């Protein structure tokens, strides 16, 4: 990849062949991107603005997060997955990706198609740089880029598949109709469950490329050649795609660490995976949440993980270090000010006999102020997301982390029943948790406690909280308006004032101070009129993270 940004150059020399990243004429774009799908073997070259560089990376990251959420919903078929994923993409405004997921291959070459292919190509390589730096990030990208490739491959029609084989450099030849007729019986036996044999194409591949298919008796094998039906060809490409991407991620890591000399790009790439770009960016609540409301909110709007920590704190008046960190940052994210946070923790922890105010000030006050960026490194830390909570180890007497992962079935069942969930819902949630579908179990908990699903899927406890407040605020406004209507007619002006007062007082903002960090809700990508200057990268990275 060769990038020129504001006079500085960075180069990634993977291969002699190049694709240019500036926007050339349509004929040049068509030559560079003749197909909707690619294996990303040829890195781009050319000039790209820093704004577009960061915009494409954030967009790609959000797309993979949406795919992760879609796959967590346990759809029964790949068509259902594709339909749900397409709907999620359109809802978030990613129409170009929705188009690519359903593209047939090479049936359309409009300006919109070509621009979508160009952005897809560059975005993949930028994200490859950022996600190459840590093993867990590499594994994440391998998993979800492969799943994205799988969905797009599934959309190809016969012409699209033929052209993809030609442009990918993988020379897998379809068998002739004469060979198909001569070997009809053997070929049919390998595809008996697929149905439409007459319209199924078969491809010749070396047997060592399809060992899994051979072991499952899904292909006809003759003289070292495997004859693979069209529907099973995806297995070959997924293996090839993942293997190639794994190799290239390691190359990208070496490049970033040893050759990338632009400090702005280094900072952006290293910080990008920590950006919480997902799910409407509502990790931060700009309203104040008075601590007097926390007990009630813990029962109505907290995800189970935070409810457990809150109840343990108010019952036992202590949380171990990781629990204090996770719950403290969650409170910060929902809108508890530093002053209120100190008061809350002090009032709870000093109720324990062995902790007086002096001990609290010496042992615990620093961490609270540290979380708010007032001491130490003075970093404005963000609340942990679901992936962090799921992966966090939990030791004896610790109650932090994701309960759907860390609690056994009996313990989780008991806790859910204590939350007054119906037995049928409890069984459903514990089953999802036991099968490893932790986020889906949390979503089901939300549905059970709110009697409706969230407007958007979430990957963050603070987004769960915001979704809950959105629903409950609407319900409370409707109830108040209905009560007022019972006693007296209201003019449109009074109704408007009533709703405004109710929304403003939803979490009691009467005597609070605005939290030190307020972030307006941002759209997921930057419109042309809102494009950032390069100097604002830090602000972008500081938006939301898990």
């Amino acid at each position: 990849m060769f990038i020129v940004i504001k006079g500085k150059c960075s180069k990634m020399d993977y291969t002699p062949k190049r694709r240019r990243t500036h926007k050339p004429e349509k004929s040049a774009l068509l030559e560079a991107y003749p197909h909707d799908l690619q294996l990303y073997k040829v890195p781009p070259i050319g000039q790209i603005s820093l704004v577009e560089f960061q915009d494409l990376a954030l967009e790609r990251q959000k797309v993979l997060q949406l795919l992760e959420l879609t796959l967590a919903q346990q759809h029964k078929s790949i068509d259902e997955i594709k339909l749900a994923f397409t709907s999620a993409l359109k809802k978030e405004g990613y129409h170009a990706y929705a188009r690519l997921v359903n593209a047939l291959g090479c049936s359309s070459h409009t300006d919109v198609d070509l621009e979508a292919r160009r952005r897809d190509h560059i975005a993949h390589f930028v994200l490859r740089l950022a996600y190459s730096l840590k093993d867990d990030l590499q594994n994440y990208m391998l998993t979800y880029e492969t799943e994205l490739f799988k969905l797009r491959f599934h959309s190809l029609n016969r012409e699209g598949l033929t052209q993809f084989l030609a442009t990918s450099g993988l020379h897998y030849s379809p068998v002739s109709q004469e060979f198909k007729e001569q070997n009809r019986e053997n070929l049919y036996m390998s595809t008996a469950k697929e149905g439409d044999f007459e319209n199924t194409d078969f491809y010749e591949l070396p047997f060592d490329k399809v060992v899994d298919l051979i072991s499952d008796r899904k292909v006809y094998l003759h003289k070292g050649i495997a004859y693979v039906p069209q529907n099973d060809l995806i297995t070959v490409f997924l293996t090839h795609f993942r293997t190639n991407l794994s190799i290239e991620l390691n190359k990208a890591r070496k490049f970033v660490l040893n050759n990338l000399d632009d400090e702005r790009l280094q900072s952006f790439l290293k910080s990008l995976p920590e950006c919480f770009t997902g799910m409407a960016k509502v990790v931060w609540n700009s309203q104040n949440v008075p601590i007097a409301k926390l007990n009630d909110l813990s029962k109505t709007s907290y995800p189970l993980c935070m409810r457990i920590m809150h109840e343990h704190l108010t019952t036992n008046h202590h949380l171990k270090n990781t629990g204090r960190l996770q719950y403290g940052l969650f409170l910060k994210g929902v809108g508890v000010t530093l002053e209120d946070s100190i008061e809350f923790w002090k009032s709870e922890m000093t109720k324990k006999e062995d902790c007086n105010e002096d001990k609290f000030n010496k042992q615990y006050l620093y961490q609270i102020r540290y979380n708010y960026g007032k001491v130490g490194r003075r970093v404005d830390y963000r609340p942990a997301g679901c992936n962090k909570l799921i992966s966090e180890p939990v030791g004896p007497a610790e109650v932090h982390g994701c309960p759907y992962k860390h609690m056994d079935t009996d313990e989780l069942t008991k806790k859910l029943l204590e939350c007054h969930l119906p037995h049928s819902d409890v069984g459903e949630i514990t089953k999802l948790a036991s099968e490893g579908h932790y986020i889906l179990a949390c979503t089901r908990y939300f549905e059970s406690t709110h009697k409706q699903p969230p407007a958007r899927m979430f990957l963050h406890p603070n987004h769960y909280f915001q979704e809950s407040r959105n629903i409950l605020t609407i319900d409370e406004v409707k109830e108040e308006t209905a009560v007022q209507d019972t006693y007296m007619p209201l003019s449109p002006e009074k109704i408007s004032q009533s709703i405004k007062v109710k929304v403003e007082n939803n979490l009691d903002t009467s005597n609070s101070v605005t939290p030190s960090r307020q972030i307006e809700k941002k759209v997921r990508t930057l419109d042309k009129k809102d494009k950032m200057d390069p100097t604002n990268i830090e602000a972008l990275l500081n938006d939301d993270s898990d």
Side-chain angles (χ1 to χ4, degrees), residues 22-61:
H22 66 275
K23 298 180 181 179
E25 298 295 333
K26 181 175 181 178
S27 58
L29 275 175
L30 184 58
E31 181 180 357
Y33 305 109
H35 203 278
D36 292 308
L37 187 62
Q38 60 170 297
L39 293 171
Y40 305 106
K41 289 187 174 182
V42 180
I45 182 174
Q47 295 184 0
I48 182 174
S49 70
L50 189 57
V51 171
E52 186 177 19
F53 183 90
Q54 63 197 18
D55 193 19
L56 292 177
L58 289 165
E59 183 179 68
R60 186 69 164 215
Q61 183 172 252

Side-chain angles (χ1 to χ4, degrees), residues 389-409:
L389 269 62
I390 290 170
S391 62
E392 192 78 57
V394 176
E398 292 183 320
V399 295
H400 64 268
C402 176
Y404 305 106
K405 178 180 180 181
H406 300 304
M407 284 185 169
D408 60 37
T409 301

Side-chain angles (χ1 to χ4, degrees), residues 23-267:
K23 298 180 181 179
E25 298 295 333
K26 181 175 181 178
S27 58
L29 275 175
L30 184 58
E31 181 180 357
Y33 305 109
H35 203 278
D36 292 308
L37 187 62
Q38 60 170 297
L39 293 171
Y40 305 106
K41 289 187 174 182
V42 180
I45 182 174
Q47 295 184 0
I48 182 174
S49 70
L50 189 57
V51 171
E52 186 177 19
F53 183 90
Q54 63 197 18
D55 193 19
L56 292 177
L58 289 165
E59 183 179 68
R60 186 69 164 215
Q61 183 172 252
K62 177 68 177 291
V63 168
L64 295 187
Q65 289 177 338
L66 289 174
L67 180 55
E68 180 184 8
L69 285 172
T70 303
L71 294 174
Q73 297 172 31
Q74 289 186 304
H75 296 286
K76 294 180 179 179
S77 68
I78 193 169
D79 288 324
E80 290 183 5
I81 294 172
K82 192 164 62 173
L83 183 63
F85 184 44
T86 301
S87 176
L89 289 170
K90 290 181 177 179
K91 189 172 184 179
E92 293 293 329
Y94 293 113
H95 299 286
Y97 277 101
R99 192 183 191 95
L100 288 172
V101 167
N102 296 276
L104 301 178
C106 52
S107 59
S108 175
H109 301 294
T110 65
D111 291 342
V112 175
D113 293 316
L114 296 175
E115 177 62 13
R117 296 171 192 174
R118 187 190 76 90
R119 291 175 66 86
D120 165 63
H121 180 221
I122 301 170
H124 171 89
F125 275 90
V126 175
L127 206 65
R128 183 188 289 186
L129 291 174
Y131 276 62
S132 67
L133 299 175
K134 295 182 180 179
D135 291 341
D136 59 334
L137 295 176
Q138 286 197 20
N139 290 333
Y140 181 90
M141 187 171 186
L142 280 169
T143 297
Y144 292 103
E145 282 286 345
T146 302
E147 291 294 335
L148 180 60
F149 179 86
K150 179 180 179 180
L151 292 180
R152 294 173 62 184
F153 187 93
H154 182 266
S155 297
L156 300 181
N157 59 15
R158 180 175 292 187
E159 180 188 4
L161 177 58
T162 300
Q163 291 300 317
F164 179 69
L165 289 171
T167 58
S168 65
L170 299 177
H171 304 292
Y172 302 148
S173 305
V175 302
S176 64
Q177 188 63 31
E178 180 182 359
F179 179 89
K180 184 176 177 180
E181 290 298 329
Q182 291 174 353
N183 295 272
R184 169 180 286 270
E185 183 177 353
N186 290 324
L187 294 174
Y188 181 80
M189 288 177 64
S190 69
T191 59
K193 296 181 181 180
E194 300 296 331
D196 193 3
F197 174 80
E198 298 299 334
N199 292 320
T200 298
D201 291 329
F202 292 84
Y203 293 82
E204 296 181 352
L205 277 79
F207 78 93
D208 59 338
K209 300 291 186 183
V210 290
V211 175
D212 291 340
L213 294 178
I214 293 173
S215 64
D216 292 337
R217 299 175 180 269
K218 288 188 174 182
V219 296
Y220 169 49
L221 185 63
H222 181 65
K223 295 184 178 180
I225 299 297
Y227 296 91
V228 182
Q230 177 180 328
N231 291 339
D232 288 323
L233 202 59
I234 181 61
T235 303
V236 181
F237 278 99
L238 288 180
T239 301
H240 180 85
F241 181 87
R242 188 181 181 93
T243 301
N244 180 70
L245 180 56
S246 179
I247 295 170
E248 295 302 324
L249 280 168
N250 288 323
K251 290 182 181 179
R253 172 156 48 186
K254 293 178 181 178
F255 167 77
V256 173
L257 296 177
N258 300 325
N259 301 102
L260 188 63
D261 57 0
D262 190 308
E263 293 181 359
R264 295 171 300 170
L265 293 183
Q266 286 180 348
S267 175

Side-chain angles (χ1 to χ4, degrees), residues 70 75 80-81 92 148 150 168 203 270 274 306 313 322 328 335 366 373 396 470 474 477 531:
T70 303
H75 296 286
E80 290 183 5
I81 294 172
E92 293 293 329
L148 180 60
K150 179 180 179 180
S168 65
Y203 293 82
K270 290 178 180 179
E274 302 301 323
M306 298 301 153
L313 175 62
T322 307
Y366 183 87
N470 289 343
I474 292 174
V477 170
K531 288 292 186 182

